[in-house]
Amino acid sequence: MAGPADNGATVFAAAFERFAEGGIPEVADVPDASLDLVERIRDLVEATVRTDVGPEVRAEAAELVSRAAELLRAATHDQVVRFARTSEGRIDQLTQAGSGLLNPQAPRLVFRETPEMATQAFDDSVEPRSVEVVADCRLTAAHSGPPGRAHGGVVATLLDHVLGLATSAAGVPGFTAGLDVRYRAATPYDVPLEIRARWTHCEGRKSFATGEILADGKVTAEATAVFIAPPEMRSLWSRNPRSAAAEDTVRA
Ligand SMILES: CCCCCCCC(=O)SCCNC(=O)CCNC(=O)[C@H](O)C(C)(C)COP(=O)(O)OP(=O)(O)OC[C@H]1O[C@@H](n2cnc3c(N)ncnc32)[C@H](O)[C@@H]1OP(=O)(O)O
């Protein structure tokens, strides 16, 4: 299993190998039952936050939830990393906390147009391309901070994720090294939010992006971020997804 020390490089290397061999399943093949489970757990979390039932009903619900956890633990993965291919050929990590389809803790973040994974990643002879990435999200009471507004950390998560995807779409992805969020107004929950981001430029290994969250057409938060890929990730990324086999898989 990959430890923190290897920067996830082992996991990515294995994923890229499987990607090139066409061995990564499609997002569309994720069973409905898996998606349904995630939605129900999200509903459960929201119901838990909103509930006003007494201790006896809570105790009964706790029993049921324990039983559900027991059922799910009957078979587990060694690594909580599940890669899948989107219809646009991008690799998605389904259990990540930013938008992971199989992670009920992730906000319901839906990309309007999921950008392709840039196959020219880290090819110094190819200019990164700035793509506007747009996502929709509706936070719930489970994401609240002060009364009536979303928690600042959740707002930062949305921005981190969408800005990160914008650098991937540009072909210069990395890990978040810095995220500067300006909270301009309350970000509400239970209403549609729009999150927009775009890669702006690179300085050496550093890849910069900006983005904002809008509610009812007004900016509630904006961010700038710097993403950095460690050298071993850069060489992995540029070697594997650009291989002819991987490009064929992307276009299939
Ligand atoms: C597709 C889905 C999108 C997902 C988006 C979500 C992304 C995430 O959540 S990533 C997870 C959270 N982030 C992390 O775990 C990152 C933890 N940090 C690290 O792994 C490392 O510090 C890492 C990889 C960022 C940089 O390490 P390393 O490669 O050793 O960089 P290092 O040699 O220290 O610095 C490289 C350059 O960047 C600069 N730099 C480093 N940190 C920063 C920073 N925070 N801000 C600005 N510049 C920085 C350095 O000054 C140096 O600049 P120069 O080359 O001009 O001297």
Side-chain angles (χ1 to χ4, degrees):
M1 186 190 292
D6 78 354
N7 269 321
T10 317
V11 176
F12 275 107
F16 287 150
E17 214 160 283
R18 284 176 55 217
F19 185 74
E21 290 161 1
I24 291 199
E26 303 265 349
V27 168
D29 292 338
V30 174
D32 286 347
S34 303
L35 302 176
D36 191 36
L37 174 66
V38 169
E39 277 311 304
R40 283 171 195 241
I41 295 174
R42 282 183 172 141
D43 285 348
L44 174 71
V45 170
E46 194 183 352
T48 305
V49 169
R50 289 191 183 272
T51 191
D52 198 24
V53 299
E56 273 138 42
V57 179
R58 283 175 198 259
E60 190 185 339
E63 282 284 315
L64 290 170
V65 173
S66 293
R67 171 77 186 118
E70 200 180 301
L71 281 175
L72 296 174
R73 285 201 189 97
T76 54
H77 293 275
D78 286 345
Q79 284 177 358
V80 192
V81 177
R82 305 278 307 281
F83 289 107
R85 215 154 36 107
T86 68
S87 54
E88 297 87 352
R90 195 170 56 82
I91 296 182
D92 208 354
Q93 210 289 81
L94 300 180
T95 54
Q96 40 83 9
S99 70
L101 276 182
L102 295 183
N103 186 343
Q105 200 149 279
R108 285 186 187 92
L109 189 60
V110 180
F111 287 93
R112 260 184 225 174
E113 223 174 279
T114 317
E116 283 182 26
M117 185 175 75
T119 50
Q120 87 283 9
F122 300 126
D123 181 341
D124 291 337
S125 66
V126 178
E127 277 293 302
R129 57 195 169 130
S130 192
V131 184
E132 178 94 351
V133 173
V134 185
D136 295 297
C137 185
R138 183 184 284 261
L139 297 173
T140 73
H143 300 112
S144 67
R149 58 179 73 189
H151 192 285
V154 175
V155 169
T157 297
L158 294 177
L159 287 163
D160 182 22
H161 195 77
V162 181
L163 269 66
L165 195 63
T167 60
S168 280
V172 278
F175 293 128
T176 317
L179 178 68
D180 182 9
V181 181
R182 301 287 147 160
Y183 298 87
R184 300 289 182 202
T187 299
Y189 53 82
D190 284 340
V191 301
L193 300 175
E194 184 179 297
I195 304 110
R196 299 184 161 269
R198 80 279 325 159
W199 167 82
T200 57
H201 65 289
C202 281
E203 287 171 18
R205 282 201 285 138
K206 289 175 270 185
S207 180
F208 292 84
T210 64
E212 55 279 330
I213 298 183
L214 295 95
D216 202 17
K218 291 199 187 107
V219 172
T220 63
E222 49 197 19
T224 56
V226 54
F227 297 86
I228 302 175
E232 64 271 29
M233 292 283 297
R234 287 174 68 96
S235 72
L236 269 175
W237 209 291
S238 59
R239 207 168 58 234
N240 289 283
R242 282 190 304 135
S243 72
E247 288 188 11
D248 287 349
T249 310
V250 167
R251 294 197 183 106

